[in-house]
Amino acid sequence: MVSDPSIILEADHLTRRFGRVTAVDDVSFQIRRGEIVGMLGPNGAGKTTTLRMIAGFLCPTAGDARIAGRSVTDDPLGARRRLGYLPEHAALYPDMRAGEYLRFRAALKGVPRARIAARVDEAAELCGVRPVLRRLIGELSKGYRQRVALADALVHEPELLVLDEPTLGLDPNQIRQARDLIRSLAERHTVLISSHILPEIEMTCHRVLILHRGRLLAEGPVPELAAQIHRRRRIMMQVRAPRDELLREVTRLAGGGNVVVEPLPEDWMEVRIEARAGDDPRPELAALAARRGWPLRELRREELSLEQVFLALTGADPRGVAR
Amino acid sequence: MNGGLPLLRRELNACLLSPTAYLVAALFLLVAGAGFWVAVASLAAQPDGSVGLVELSAWMFLLTIAAAAPLLTMRLFAEEYRSGTFETLMTAPVRPAAVVFAKYAAALLWYLAMLAPTLLWGPILSAVAALPPPTDPAAIAGAYVGAILIGAWCLALGLFASAVMRSQVAAGLLAVALIAGWLFAGWVPFLWPLRHGDRLGTWLSPVVHLADWSRGIFDSRAAVVYLVNTTLALFATDRVLEWRRWR
Ligand SMILES: Nc1ncnc2c1ncn2[C@@H]1O[C@H](COP(=O)(O)OP(=O)(O)O)[C@@H](O)[C@H]1O
Ligand SMILES: [Mg+2]
């Protein structure tokens, strides 16, 4: 088969069964060079299993995946040489020093001896682990260990980076740093990244694949997904104001979205707005309350859960879709 | 082999940092080294006598290696499974065979390093106990070749057990069971009189092999059996790793 050189990863009816459990069920998709693609799905959706088949850790029960045209089943070494893989809960050897580990991994992945030092240096610089290269991995914080693992995934200049839930188990500060790091990688690499958290994908990816119960439920550009989701997104405000006046002003700001005002005890009013695609009237709402001197005690956008995202995307009951 | 050298270096480093490896080496040197050289020395002194002593020393050596091999190998794969580094290892562009080779070679090199100081036992023994130093080079060479062949085979069994089991303890126990099974298989034909029981026993029994080799009687057929068995155990280990991708 002659493959399109711009396609770096092609999953071709990937299927994986564990006994009677079908963890991944006939999943096909393509990733082009330069894309940052998110794989979104709740826990148990089959993300890790899919990525493990791509990385060659598990063999597919049926189907195949090709990395730069090389089949993971027919040419596993050729495929893996082009891949940088960060497993979920990536583990490192605690008895090695970070720099020693990265040099070992570079050699293992076939980086020519003369280039090893330069490659390790570059990957360490990119991932911000230069200061800890001489430290024992077992003594590093979880955040640093994750970055060393990421530097390992990068050290042989892979054509494709596959990251399985790279922010799992990090604290919020480390998550923010990891996210910035991944975004900076995106400038030079093709990346497939999995997550069960929607904002994670929304903030880093161009395109998203939605996996649910082993099936590819939907795929599309992130702005499209975001628009679909934001269309259903609600804004909630609690304010003390005269009801009719409040309704009139808010309806004007909502720009055609559906507005409901409900009285609460002690003259408080609850306003719910179904904001339109891409619309966020929260700053205007806050300004309105300030201008009119209305006490404001709450103003927030309701985030959709993943299950609600599936509803938004498919217009169907997600439990029904999987069956 | 692709990646074999960096893997071997990493395995050797891990071995050098492992307290278990040093403990095993120390105990091994104490127990086996002493028994081994008593046998060689006494044989050298009376080449045709002391038949029982050689067999006894052979048994002692075999029991020592039966305990040492599982201790040296049980960590090799089981620890990678437990910590999760197995996934990083197996998704690097290396064949499972390279991983098996590196882990096995590191264990074997450690074993050889453990064995090497026993070369000093002769001079020490003759200096301390005024025993004549062993003079029959064939007996000495035979004893060492035997110790290496049998050690290589026990280490291969231990490595296989480590690949099969998810925990170190279970891997160690399986290795002990496999090695014990092999040691006692050599007894079966003696206990169970068959027509050619003696000859079969001679074929199977590591005690007979080791005793013969220590007397300078080198049976190359037995050597071939150990080499073939070792290769098969390593091949089976490679298959276990491949099987884990399908499980
Ligand atoms: N090694 C395994 N053995 C048996 N079942 C497994 C194994 N790995 C995953 N599964 C099952 O496959 C399904 C998908 O799991 P996984 O790929 O880990 O999902 P995710 O990464 O999206 O959380 C789950 O139902 C899980 O229990
Ligand atoms: Mg997962």
Side-chain angles (χ1 to χ4, degrees), chain A residues 226-266:
Chain A
Q228 287 201 45
I229 290 163
H230 290 310
R231 188 165 45 202
R232 309 286 185 103
R233 201 168 251 185
R234 276 207 202 139
I235 310 269
M236 202 276 274
M237 176 166 79
Q238 290 188 5
V239 63
R240 197 182 259 157
R243 182 175 176 170
D244 295 342
E245 212 176 332
L246 178 64
L247 182 62
R248 196 172 54 243
E249 294 278 0
V250 170
T251 307
R252 196 167 53 76
L253 292 178
N258 187 25
V259 179
V260 181
V261 176
E262 272 179 13
L264 296 173
E266 297 176 35

Side-chain angles (χ1 to χ4, degrees), chain A residues 16-19 21-24 39-52 57-58 88 164-165 194-196 211 213-214, chain B residues 166 244 247:
Chain A
R16 175 68 202 213
R17 281 186 279 274
F18 294 104
V21 178
T22 303
V24 175
M39 178 178 279
L40 186 64
N43 284 324
K47 303 181 295 294
T48 297
T49 306
T50 305
L51 301 185
R52 281 179 163 176
F57 186 61
L58 291 174
E88 191 175 10
D164 194 0
E165 308 232 17
S194 87
S195 178
H196 67 281
L211 216 61
R213 305 196 174 194
Chain B
R166 291 211 145 256
R244 289 206 175 273
R247 207 182 44 92

